């Protein structure tokens, strides 16, 4: 059976890599994007673009899908709250249903760093953090929302502290702790995250939990 997945933000940094990986595995991909032309240009004819704001997505748009991947991102610090708002909207749309499964990409801020602390605690103490702290704060709230969500089929991934563009590399999977490689770097590439997400969609090893990944 061919899996059918929808990707919100399919032309973004993470979303486009996920879409390409899914297409290469023979999955049917619906791209929820702001520009259908851009989606076709970036992803080719094997993707079905739906030109629609993420907050205008309705139940009828996703009810035929097996999985919906929330790869929404904003660079506008004043709109960082939209990460939580969109997650809440998607949860409401699928409440009480087994499908579609929701797949969220969280930040690394909610990952544990030992002694009862999380990465967000360290970020909050950094000087001059006004330029970036809003998004980690809101994605931590998104994580808290998911952990308190009932009767929804969901899974989430937190990339490592440094989530950078790049090809797939060897990697290691974790659960709730911030991971580092042998060189002491907490870093993962978009190609690696895309592979891990599509693997999880195909194999469903994690149920109603968050996991993480680091490049070796």
């Amino acid at each position: 059976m061919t899996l059918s997945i929808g990707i919100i933000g399919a032309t973004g940094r993470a979303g486009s890599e996920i879409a390409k990986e899914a297409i290469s595995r023979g999955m049917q991909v619906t791209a929820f994007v702001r520009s259908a032309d851009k989606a076709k240009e970036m992803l080719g004819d094997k993707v079905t673009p739906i030109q629609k704001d993420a907050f205008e997505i309705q139940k009828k748009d996703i009810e035929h899908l097996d999985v919906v991947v929330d790869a929404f991102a904003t660079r506008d610090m004043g709109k960082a709250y939209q990460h939580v708002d969109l997650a809440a909207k998607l949860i409401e749309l699928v409440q009480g249903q087994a499908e579609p499964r929701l797949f969220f990409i969280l930040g690394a801020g909610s990952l544990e760093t030992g002694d009862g602390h999380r990465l967000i605690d360290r970020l909050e103490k950094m000087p001059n953090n006004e330029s970036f702290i809003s998004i980690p704060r809101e994605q931590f709230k998104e994580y808290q929302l998911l952990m308190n969500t009932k009767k929804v089929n969901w899974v989430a991934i937190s990339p490592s502290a440094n989530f950078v563009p790049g090809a797939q590399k060897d990697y290691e999977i974790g659960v709730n702790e911030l991971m580092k490689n042998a060189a002491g770097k907490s870093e993962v590439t978009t190609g690696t995250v895309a592979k891990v997400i599509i693997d999880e969609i195909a194999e469903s090893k994690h149920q109603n939990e968050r996991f993480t990944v680091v490049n070796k």
Side-chain angles (χ1 to χ4, degrees), residues 25-144:
R25 307 262 198 110
M27 296 180 180
Q28 295 177 349
V29 177
T30 298
F32 294 97
V33 292
R34 292 176 180 169
S35 170
D37 290 339
K38 182 178 179 180
K40 285 287 189 180
E41 181 181 346
M42 289 182 67
L43 304 172
D45 294 330
K46 291 185 178 180
V47 66
T48 301
I50 294 182
Q51 186 168 302
K52 179 173 287 193
D53 184 274
F55 290 91
E56 294 178 356
I57 294 172
Q58 301 298 318
K59 192 168 186 175
K60 64 182 180 180
D61 297 318
I62 63 173
E63 59 187 0
H64 65 289
L65 300 170
D66 296 305
V67 180
V68 175
V69 180
D70 179 4
F72 171 83
T74 179
R75 295 180 181 178
D76 185 345
M77 296 298 113
K79 294 183 178 180
Y81 63 88
Q82 290 183 333
H83 287 277
V84 182
D85 289 356
L86 181 57
K89 175 183 174 65
L90 294 173
I91 287 168
E92 182 179 2
L93 289 179
V94 305
Q95 194 85 43
Q97 301 172 206
E99 293 180 349
R101 186 187 192 198
L102 299 181
F103 206 133
F104 297 93
I105 302 176
L106 304 174
S110 57
L111 291 170
E112 298 169 4
T113 56
D115 298 324
H117 295 289
R118 300 179 187 271
L119 180 60
I120 187 66
D121 299 323
R122 188 185 305 168
L123 298 178
E124 290 284 7
K125 294 177 181 178
M126 292 181 66
N128 304 315
N129 62 9
E130 296 85 0
S131 64
F132 69 84
I133 195 63
S134 294
I135 289 177
R137 281 175 181 163
E138 295 301 323
Q139 289 203 301
F140 180 58
K141 293 178 184 177
E142 185 180 3
Y143 166 76
Q144 293 175 309

